[in-house]
Amino acid sequence: VTDPPIPRGTPVSSQLEAITWLKSAVSDVPPTPSAPLRRFFELCDASPEDRICARLDELCGRVRTCLDETDDAGELDERCDYARRLYLRMLQRLLSGEEARGHHN
């Protein structure tokens, strides 16, 4: 006799788990580029910071335009803030990884 399969999460519980994970993943990330990330930007011939921040603003604006009719503004702002923080965290980790890899080659 085999055990019945474990039921998968519901869409709502999956969404709540994802939001909880995202909040914890970005809780210590500032909404603007951190000092270590700015250091990477300063190593460039021309700092990409303004272009990156403008692009994030543009993308958040597009999301707001698409979802304004269905979601409240506070939720949209919160989602865009999480997305911005996650992007900045991933960019910093990517650049840190590339820096470490460059030191080993």
Side-chain angles (χ1 to χ4, degrees), residues 57-68 76 79-80:
D57 289 342
E58 177 189 342
L59 292 172
C60 284
R62 287 182 185 183
V63 169
R64 283 186 187 97
T65 300
C66 292
L67 299 178
D68 264 345
L76 287 173
R79 288 178 188 178
C80 283

Side-chain angles (χ1 to χ4, degrees), residues 11-12 15-16 18-23 26 29-31 56-57 59-88:
V12 172
Q15 181 74 14
L16 292 173
I19 291 171
T20 299
W21 172 85
L22 181 58
K23 285 180 180 181
V26 300
V29 179
L56 289 172
D57 289 342
L59 292 172
C60 284
R62 287 182 185 183
V63 169
R64 283 186 187 97
T65 300
C66 292
L67 299 178
D68 264 345
E69 296 176 9
T70 58
D71 288 327
D72 79 44
E75 272 189 50
L76 287 173
D77 289 341
E78 185 178 48
R79 288 178 188 178
C80 283
D81 183 61
Y82 291 147
R84 178 182 309 274
R85 290 170 190 255
L86 183 60
Y87 178 87
L88 293 172

Side-chain angles (χ1 to χ4, degrees), residues 40 88-100:
F40 285 117
L88 293 172
R89 163 161 275 170
M90 297 309 298
L91 181 59
Q92 183 174 331
R93 287 189 174 175
L94 175 105
L95 293 172
S96 295
E98 287 298 309
E99 180 182 51

